[in-house]
Amino acid sequence: MTTQPNDSTETDIRVLLVDDQSLIRLGFTMVLRSVDGITVVGEADDGAAGVALTESLRPDVVIMDVRMPGVDGIEATSLIASRFPLTRVIILTTFDLDEYAFAGLRAGASGFLLKDARPAELIQAIRSVAAGDAIVAPRITRRMLDLFGSQLPHDAATPRAPAVDRNALLAALTEREFEVFSAVAKGRTNAEISAELFLSESTVKTHVGHILMKLALRDRIHAVVLGYETGVVVPGRD
C-alpha cells in the first residue's frame, strides 16, 4: 500500500490503482503520469488496502482488479460504493472473467475495463466515470448482459441486490419516466430515445437525471442492470 507524491492540482482527477500485480500498476502509472489533468495518488496490492487508501485519500476514481488475495475486487468495490459514494470504481477484467465484471457492476462499480486496454481507452474511461458517466456504451452493456446475465452466480462472491422491493421503486416513476427508463435499460442512447418518444434530447437528459436520482442509481449502466433484475428487459428480446 503506497501513496504517490501529492503534485496534483485541485482540478486533477485523482486516481487510485488497486491490483496485486506490480507490473500492471507500474504500467498504468507510467501511462497516467504523462496525462494532464490526471494524477495517481496511490497504489494498493489487495482489496483491503484499496478500501483503506480510499478512506484516507478520497480519490475520484479507483481502478480495481478482481482477483486478489484476501479481500477481492468485488467485495472491495461493494465497500467503497457504500462508504464513499463520491468515489467511482472501474473494474479490471479479462475476456474470460466477464462474469466477475458484472458482479462488480452489481456491487456498485461504474464500468469495466479490459486489462489489455489501450492507453487512450484507459484515459477516456477515467475521465468518463469521473464526470459521472458509465465507461461502457449502454448498447454494448446490453449485449454483454444478454450473454452473461443469466449465468451470474449468486453466492458469497457475488453480492445480491439490497433487500428492497426494486419494482416498488419503479412505481415511484411517472408514466413518461418509466418509458424513458425502459428505453435506457434496453441500451438506447439519448438520441434514440428522443426519436422514439418524440422528445427533445435535453428533455430526455432531464428525465434520465430524475430517474437516476429517484432510483438511487449511480449511472446509466446500473439502470441497465436494474432493468434486467426487475424484468423490464428480458434477455433475447428488444
Side-chain angles (χ1 to χ4, degrees):
M1 182 169 65
T2 62
T3 58
Q4 302 289 343
N6 188 9
D7 56 355
S8 63
T9 69
E10 291 184 0
T11 59
D12 279 0
I13 300 170
R14 295 163 51 82
V15 176
L16 172 65
L17 303 175
V18 184
D19 195 300
D20 63 337
Q21 298 182 48
S22 59
L23 287 179
I24 294 290
R25 299 197 309 271
L26 176 62
F28 282 179
T29 298
M30 291 177 64
V31 168
L32 297 178
R33 277 180 176 172
S34 66
V35 179
D36 291 335
I38 297 177
T39 299
V40 176
V41 295
E43 299 178 21
D45 58 7
D46 62 55
V51 174
L53 277 181
T54 299
E55 182 173 18
S56 62
L57 298 175
R58 300 301 171 95
D60 300 301
V61 178
V62 177
I63 306 295
M64 180 75 71
D65 189 18
V66 175
R67 287 188 166 181
M68 293 180 290
V71 176
D72 66 18
I74 305 303
E75 183 179 354
T77 295
S78 181
L79 292 170
I80 290 171
S82 62
R83 296 179 186 177
F84 315 107
L86 296 181
T87 296
R88 301 286 177 145
V89 178
I90 299 173
I91 289 288
L92 283 177
T93 185
T94 55
F95 282 111
D96 59 344
L97 289 177
D98 285 318
E99 66 270 24
Y100 292 101
F102 288 114
L105 295 179
R106 285 178 169 171
S110 293
F112 62 88
L113 191 68
L114 297 176
K115 279 195 173 183
D116 61 355
R118 297 188 299 272
E121 293 173 325
L122 171 65
I123 294 164
Q124 182 58 46
I126 291 170
R127 287 175 171 162
S128 293
V129 299
D133 296 326
I135 66 164
V136 185
R139 188 167 299 282
I140 295 174
T141 302
R142 182 187 66 177
R143 287 200 294 266
M144 297 192 75
L145 281 170
D146 283 341
L147 290 172
F148 297 105
S150 63
Q151 303 174 22
L152 296 184
H154 287 287
D155 55 23
T158 308
R160 290 180 181 272
V164 62
D165 186 343
R166 311 304 290 273
N167 286 290
L169 289 177
L170 296 184
L173 301 179
T174 66
E175 182 177 352
R176 177 60 85 184
E177 286 172 345
F178 184 79
E179 290 178 331
V180 173
F181 168 77
S182 298
V184 171
K186 293 173 183 176
R188 304 286 196 269
T189 64
N190 283 356
E192 290 170 335
I193 297 171
S194 172
E196 185 175 311
L197 299 181
F198 303 102
L199 299 170
S200 69
E201 287 194 45
S202 62
T203 298
V204 172
K205 184 176 180 179
T206 298
H207 280 310
V208 171
H210 289 164
I211 290 165
L212 296 180
M213 181 175 63
K214 283 186 175 182
L215 300 181
L217 299 173
R218 290 167 70 89
D219 47 47
R220 294 173 75 109
I221 201 168
H222 291 96
V224 175
V225 174
L226 180 60
Y228 277 73
E229 290 180 338
T230 56
V232 171
V233 179
V234 177
R237 299 181 187 176
D238 192 7

